[in-house]
Amino acid sequence: MQEALERIKKQCENLIKECQSAEIDELATHLSYGKMLRSKLLLSISGINEDSVNLCAIIELIQTASLLHDDVIDESSIRRGKPSINASFGNKNAIMLGDTLYSKAFYELTKFDTAIAQSVANAVVRLSIGEISDVRLSSSFNTDKNRYLQMCKDKTAALIVAAAECGALLKGLDAQKYRIYGENLGIAFQIVDDILDITQDSSILGKPNMSDFKEGKTTLPYIFLYEHLNDNDRQILLSYFAKELNDAQIQWLKTEMEKCGAITMSIEQVKKYASQSLESIKDENNQKLESIIMQMLKREF
């Protein structure tokens, strides 16, 4: 698998070079491709071949483009422990690099079967809608779990769904089973990230911890916390929303979360979606997909 992932990274570099822009080439040297979950997922379903590697490269370009735009929207200065493109080169360069990656990815997508192209294109529509929802939800403290989960389905799960579905289409398998697997995996993956933002320190996260709340993101643990606080403590929680917090305020949040079990309840939701994901492919006999779920559940909370 690792050799295949390196091939995908190399193909991403090749596709970017095909844009024939020295400026884009220079900016692209500062990109990183993270855990490449979507590629691992697609390859675990389709197997490793030229088509699957090329399709993974397209999906990685799209994922990278979405993160470039996301960092501009969130005014993030760090991405995977390094200065973000927008912090180093400005918002305009970050946005245009993202646009270039999107455009090149869609051009390459035209070389694939219509069903595959439509799957990925639809995922980008959902991803964009999810980003808008995320921005809207950040305008005030959100207490609605359903709105949070829908945002997770769109912003995070959509491209994971496409990776799973496309892997099945390349292999001639029942794509619907893998769509269900991907959506539940995507929701669980986002909740895990939201938990880790609270429980891990910045050296592990590659960004300041508890940055979600500071940015105005009401993730699942905060929703659970709100539900279990009395009226006076709810007002304290709301007064901390979308602000730079001092050590005492951060400690108050963590203490209250521990009292009500907000993290534990969130982990239970991760396990629920992981179980639903595995249930959808129980007859497919794919241990690699089961391993992806298990690895996610073993991340340090």
Side-chain angles (χ1 to χ4, degrees):
M1 178 66 77
Q2 191 56 44
E3 181 181 347
L5 295 179
E6 292 303 320
R7 284 176 59 191
I8 293 165
K9 290 179 186 177
K10 184 64 178 177
Q11 180 63 1
C12 288
E13 294 172 3
N14 291 338
L15 293 176
I16 292 170
K17 288 184 184 301
E18 287 178 8
C19 296
Q20 297 182 355
S21 166
E23 291 84 358
I24 293 296
D25 287 347
E26 198 279 327
L27 289 171
T29 61
H30 299 273
L31 295 175
S32 61
Y33 295 98
K35 300 179 182 68
M36 301 178 73
L37 169 66
R38 293 149 194 83
S39 290
K40 291 175 183 175
L41 175 56
L42 193 155
L43 295 178
S44 295
I45 298 168
S46 69
I48 301 169
N49 52 61
E50 185 176 356
D51 281 344
S52 62
V53 168
N54 289 339
L55 187 53
C56 284
I58 290 170
I59 289 174
E60 291 299 334
L61 288 185
I62 289 171
Q63 171 66 6
T64 303
S66 74
L67 294 178
L68 286 165
H69 289 177
D70 200 29
D71 283 344
V72 172
I73 292 168
D74 293 340
E75 299 180 353
S76 300
S77 59
I78 300 294
R79 168 61 62 182
R80 298 184 179 120
K82 298 179 180 179
S84 60
I85 298 291
N86 53 296
S88 297
F89 300 97
N91 289 341
K92 293 179 181 179
N93 279 301
I95 290 169
M96 295 312 299
L97 176 58
D99 288 351
T100 302
L101 299 187
Y102 269 132
S103 301
K104 181 59 175 173
F106 275 104
Y107 174 78
E108 295 300 319
L109 199 55
T110 64
K111 301 175 183 179
F112 282 86
D113 181 77
T114 301
I116 288 175
Q118 289 179 341
S119 175
V120 177
N122 183 62
V124 176
V125 173
R126 285 186 60 194
L127 189 160
S128 302
I129 291 170
E131 188 64 70
I132 293 172
S133 297
D134 194 22
V135 171
R136 292 289 179 87
L137 287 173
S138 298
S139 64
S140 61
F141 190 99
N142 171 50
T143 62
D144 188 338
K145 284 197 289 286
N146 289 330
R147 289 184 70 192
Y148 163 81
L149 290 171
Q150 185 60 51
M151 184 273 294
C152 292
K153 290 178 183 179
D154 290 332
K155 183 179 176 182
T156 304
L159 201 54
I160 294 176
V161 171
E165 180 177 38
C166 288
L169 289 170
L170 285 174
K171 193 72 171 177
L173 302 173
D174 183 348
Q176 181 59 20
K177 290 182 179 180
Y178 292 90
R179 285 184 59 83
I180 296 170
Y181 172 92
E183 179 151 284
N184 285 287
L185 170 62
I187 296 169
F189 186 83
Q190 183 59 59
I191 297 174
V192 169
D193 269 5
D194 293 343
I195 294 170
L196 294 178
D197 179 76
I198 297 166
T199 61
Q200 294 284 17
D201 61 43
S202 58
S203 64
I204 296 174
L205 291 171
K207 63 176 183 176
N209 82 325
M210 301 192 80
S211 61
D212 285 344
F213 199 59
K214 173 188 170 184
E215 293 170 2
K217 299 177 188 290
T218 316
T219 57
L220 190 58
Y222 294 101
I223 296 174
F224 280 136
L225 174 60
Y226 180 87
E227 290 177 346
H228 287 78
L229 291 175
N230 60 41
D231 289 340
N232 288 335
D233 286 339
R234 281 181 177 180
Q235 292 307 309
I236 294 173
L237 174 63
L238 295 178
S239 73
Y240 292 168
F241 178 70
K243 294 179 180 176
E244 190 77 51
L245 302 179
N246 60 39
D247 290 344
Q249 291 167 329
I250 290 173
Q251 188 56 51
W252 184 89
L253 286 171
K254 290 187 174 182
T255 298
E256 294 302 318
M257 281 191 182
E258 187 173 353
K259 284 181 183 177
C260 75
I263 299 298
T264 300
M265 287 186 284
S266 299
I267 292 172
E268 288 305 311
Q269 290 297 301
V270 171
K271 292 178 179 177
K272 181 189 82 170
Y273 286 107
S275 177
Q276 290 174 182
S277 191
L278 289 172
E279 178 67 19
S280 68
I281 54 141
K282 64 180 181 180
D283 299 324
E284 298 298 291
N285 193 30
N286 190 324
Q287 293 184 348
K288 291 180 180 178
L289 296 187
E290 295 173 9
S291 177
I292 287 173
I293 295 289
M294 292 302 110
Q295 288 173 20
M296 180 187 66
L297 291 175
K298 288 178 181 178
R299 293 174 72 185
E300 189 64 45
F301 291 114

